[in-house]
Amino acid sequence: MATLLVTGGAGYIGSHTAVALLEAGHRVVSLDNYSNSSPLALERVQRIAGRPLTAVEGDVRDAALLARLFAGHAFDGVIHFAALKAVGESVAQPLAYYENNVGGTLSLLRAMDTAGVRRFVFSSSATVYGAPDLLPITEQAPVRTTNPYGATKAMVEQVLRDLAAADDRWSVVSLRYFNPIGAHPSGEIGEDPNDIPNNLFPFICQVAAGRREQLAVFGDDWPTPDGTGVRDYLHVVDLAAGHLRAFEFVQRHAGMVPVNLGTGRGVSVLQLVRAFEAATGQPIAYRIVGRRPGDIAECWADPTSAERLLGWRAEFGVERACADGWRWQRRNPDGYRTKGGIT
Ligand code: NAD
Ligand code: WQD
């Protein structure tokens, strides 16, 4: 049994990973400033797993708080989710993104080094590949980012590579997630976007729930089989399991390695809409609009390194993710703000 610091533990992916860690018998300390989440998520994590965790409210940039945390717990490793993640917002507020995502990670790595805790699993993103030349995308594809959010992920990866090269006591996996969707099958935790969702899946869920009239499909003139954008959608429960495997990997290996987490399958916008309708019986009204600036046509993972290095592969398809995501949405129409909680 290990003790892990999970930053951003109340967030969408962090909460699902906390469930997986607790269910595997590990101890979890979550550090979250709740800037994009609710402490209620952590109550539900504990209810699902049937085990307690330690929830600390605070910021990863707070060096004094980190020093106290590392002094108070014998951590075996850190899984670092805490970050800002909206691409458009990062273009408008680059300083906030560099401060939070790069500055926050530097402060965390410094505290870890001082405490002698050098096992690190990082939340990176397929966004570091920009518009890929070749599909499926392997980890050898060039890193070329197209917005400040993506740049923060690429910069942190560079820091991690340099750190592991300088000191072979560091052991780091940078997980490059493709498109996480869905929710825990209990319907108790899931994605809870503030405001109008930027991403496709939560938007579809809100159309199904009657919160939005129709989905705007950003272009049907892409060079793809049905003209709509193609992505590699992976179930968040599969993604959470990948973190458990990555933590097991950093316990046994030194160095820094980037690993794609995706299914290896491309699904178009319209295919995802149809899968959602088939899995839930809910019709999704949509209309085609112009392309969204900055979008790419197609993007899916070569997930073979994840299988070879971590022994991980995605188990669930998009139908299952749609059914689970809809259960969360239906029971919590206003996310964690829903009055009376789940039904
Ligand atoms: P999220 O916003 O739900 O979770 C991030 C959590 O970190 C939130 O609970 C937020 O309150 C917390 N946080 C933010 N800044 C903090 C700070 N300075 N100190 C303490 N806590 C802080 O997002 P998510 O979708 O769960 O994403 C988790 C990680 O995965 C992020 O690093 C994100 O960039 C990365 N990622 C997400 C996706 C995706 O599509 N969701 C894809 C690729 C990578
Ligand atoms: C998917 C497809 C859209 C919304 C983004 C970030 C990336 C990563 C995941 C963190 C595209 C289309 C979308 C809508 C639509 N996040 N779409 N109507 O753009 O692949 O990735 O989230 O690291 O960094 O860039 O995901 O869900 O926004 O879009 O037609 O209302 O759905 O054009 O083809 P994307 P997405």
Side-chain angles (χ1 to χ4, degrees), residues 8-12 14-15 30-46 53 55-57 188-194 328 332 334-338:
Y12 173 44
S15 58
S30 164
L31 172 63
D32 201 304
N33 64 4
Y34 307 120
S35 58
N36 195 38
S37 57
S38 163
L40 195 55
L42 292 172
E43 286 178 29
R44 297 199 184 166
V45 164
Q46 297 175 81
L53 55 66
V56 177
E57 179 169 2
E188 293 210 36
I189 56 173
E191 190 169 9
D192 182 16
N194 285 325
W328 153 254
N332 306 271
D334 205 12
Y336 292 108
R337 291 166 298 279
T338 303

Side-chain angles (χ1 to χ4, degrees), residues 132 134-139 141 178 232 260 264-265 299-303:
L134 294 172
L135 291 165
I137 305 176
T138 71
E139 292 82 357
F178 281 66
D232 185 336
N260 288 341
R265 284 182 300 276
C299 170
W300 66 88
D302 178 338

Side-chain angles (χ1 to χ4, degrees), residues 6 16 19 21 45 48 63 82 93 99 103 148 160 180 187 204 223 228 238 261 275 289 293 306 332 342:
V6 178
H16 288 82
V19 169
L21 293 169
V45 164
I48 295 167
Q93 299 173 39
E99 266 170 20
L160 294 170
I204 290 176
T228 65
D238 274 331
L261 290 185
V289 302
N332 306 271
I342 60 163

